Amino acid sequence: SFLRFAWRHASAAYGYVLLKACGLLPGVHIRSSIQRLDELGIRERCGDVDVFFENFRDKKTLDGTPKCYVCRDGDRVVLSIRGTADIFDALTDVLCEAVPFLNGEAHSGMLKAADRCLAATEASILEALDSAPRKCDLVITGHSMGGGCAILAAMRLDELRRRHDAKGPGSRLADRLYKGQHHIRCVAFSPPPVATVACRASRRCSLASVCRGEDVVPSLSLRSVANLLRSLDVLDASLEVGRRARLVALDTVKTDAVDEVRSKLGAQLSRLRDDFHGDDHPARLVVPGGLVRLGQEHHVFDDKPPVIRVRDASVSDHTLMSVDASIEALAEHYVVD
């Protein structure tokens, strides 16, 4: 299925070492160099593909350019963007303000990363298009923060394609996509909210987002975290000291994990409590095009404003292993049917 095709590429962007640690690579290549292993990882996950660009070991990406790769896979050209491997880093990444984008607003950090990704890969994507069939699709995909960047990169190219005087990162590629009538297909896995509902793509740019069941990341935004903090403050104020202490002491509350989150996010969370009031701030970011939550028995389309709900699998459903199990089960189900 196309969903499995996109997921194989989205997961391959994490590189050989992490894929091997997650049990997603069966082969053993202990005598190869690490850069060679990364290319082998892409081919083991995605088949016999032609890789035109990858920056997995490039120290220059410290400027904020996300790790990514460009390849030609049959009659498709693929841009796959790596996400955040650590859930605590993901929490930090989503706590970012919005900036103007299209007719609305977008997550400033991920929009900047998407633009840098287009600047780094534009020449390679053009080269891959030259080697591909005339009207091949450009597939942009990623997991977690990589999924958010993939959405904004696709929407940026779609915007540039509609402007004949466009300049800057991605403008040459957008012109090529327009003249060649190439379709942009973006599949994001477990992306956070990245843009307001006013940001819309054209019909020649399809956006699809998928996550596993109770994954919390598609609900994480500055606004949803601020709303959660307000609710917790109200709850905290209504509890007497003794009951509050008993709640913290419950076996289900891991104080070391709570302390780690607090130490990493403390300053930002305090600012949220103090600075944001009313309905206008921060921006109400959503996952553009809506989100399909994959369940064991049924799937749910979710296009409502993000609200954080803490569940048993809120974190575990975001891992590569969990998403991979859901995608493979879904693909097998449709093959059997």
Side-chain angles (χ1 to χ4, degrees):
S1 68
F2 179 69
L3 190 64
R4 178 196 246 173
F5 169 91
W7 167 245
R8 290 293 182 93
H9 279 286
S11 56
Y14 280 97
Y16 181 88
V17 174
L18 186 56
L19 290 173
K20 194 68 177 176
C22 293
L24 300 183
L25 287 180
V28 178
H29 308 93
I30 56 176
R31 294 187 178 181
S32 299
S33 66
I34 189 64
Q35 184 171 4
R36 177 63 176 161
L37 285 176
D38 286 329
E39 291 186 13
L40 287 171
I42 294 173
R43 291 189 170 91
E44 283 208 14
R45 287 293 290 169
C46 308
D48 188 15
V49 301
D50 298 320
V51 178
F52 287 81
F53 174 91
E54 62 89 5
N55 63 352
F56 294 173
R57 307 293 158 187
D58 189 351
K59 295 182 179 180
K60 291 182 180 180
T61 57
L62 294 175
D63 66 353
T65 303
K67 304 294 186 183
C68 56
Y69 72 85
V70 175
C71 75
R72 183 174 70 84
D73 190 341
D75 59 353
R76 300 181 178 116
V77 173
V78 179
L79 168 59
S80 180
I81 307 172
R82 183 184 298 185
T84 303
D86 189 293
I87 189 64
F88 296 111
D89 290 341
L91 287 169
T92 304
D93 289 344
V94 298
L95 296 181
C96 193
E97 297 180 7
V99 293
F101 179 60
L102 300 181
N103 294 321
E105 294 179 288
H107 184 287
S108 61
M110 269 178 277
L111 182 59
K112 184 180 296 184
D115 286 339
R116 286 175 172 166
C117 183
L118 289 177
T121 61
E122 183 175 34
S124 298
I125 296 176
L126 288 169
E127 183 182 356
L129 288 172
D130 288 336
S131 71
R134 182 177 178 183
K135 288 189 178 181
C136 67
D137 290 340
L138 172 60
V139 178
I140 306 179
T141 188
H143 169 257
S144 190
M145 301 299 113
C149 289
I151 292 173
L152 293 179
M155 297 181 76
R156 175 69 87 190
L157 285 174
D158 185 55
E159 173 209 16
L160 293 172
R161 185 168 55 179
R162 288 176 281 173
R163 292 169 45 196
H164 299 292
D165 61 341
K167 296 181 180 180
S171 57
R172 289 191 300 126
L173 175 57
D175 184 63
R176 171 65 181 275
L177 294 174
Y178 173 77
K179 292 178 179 178
Q181 297 183 340
H182 299 284
H183 193 77
I184 303 172
R185 302 183 69 179
C186 175
V187 184
F189 296 90
S190 308
V194 293
T196 57
V197 293
C199 300
R200 298 180 182 276
S202 72
R203 293 182 179 180
R204 294 197 61 80
C205 176
S206 63
L207 302 176
S209 298
V210 177
C211 76
R212 178 178 168 116
E214 299 175 355
D215 190 343
V216 72
V217 170
S219 302
L220 290 176
S221 69
L222 200 59
R223 187 184 185 95
S224 65
V225 172
N227 288 338
L228 176 63
L229 288 173
R230 293 189 187 104
S231 300
L232 291 175
D233 283 344
V234 172
L235 176 63
D236 189 60
S238 67
L239 294 174
E240 69 277 11
V241 175
R243 187 179 178 191
R244 212 177 303 156
R246 288 195 299 273
L247 285 175
V248 175
L250 288 176
D251 291 338
T252 55
V253 179
K254 296 182 179 181
T255 55
D256 55 342
V258 173
D259 290 341
E260 185 172 357
V261 174
R262 183 181 292 115
S263 65
K264 290 193 174 187
L265 306 180
Q268 296 180 72
L269 298 186
S270 297
R271 181 169 57 85
L272 284 178
R273 279 193 174 94
D274 298 337
D275 295 348
F276 293 113
H277 303 284
D279 297 328
D280 296 331
H281 298 284
R284 190 187 296 275
L285 301 182
V286 300
V287 177
L291 175 82
V292 176
R293 290 186 175 272
L294 301 178
Q296 293 183 349
E297 298 181 357
H298 61 277
H299 315 307
V300 178
F301 179 72
D302 184 3
D303 61 350
K304 300 179 179 64
V307 176
I308 298 175
R309 295 181 176 87
V310 180
R311 300 286 189 269
D312 291 340
S314 294
V315 174
S316 62
D317 275 355
H318 188 71
T319 63
L320 290 177
M321 298 84 77
S322 295
V323 179
D324 186 74
S326 291
I327 299 298
E328 293 298 327
L330 184 64
E332 183 178 346
H333 171 76
Y334 280 102
V335 169
V336 172
D337 287 352

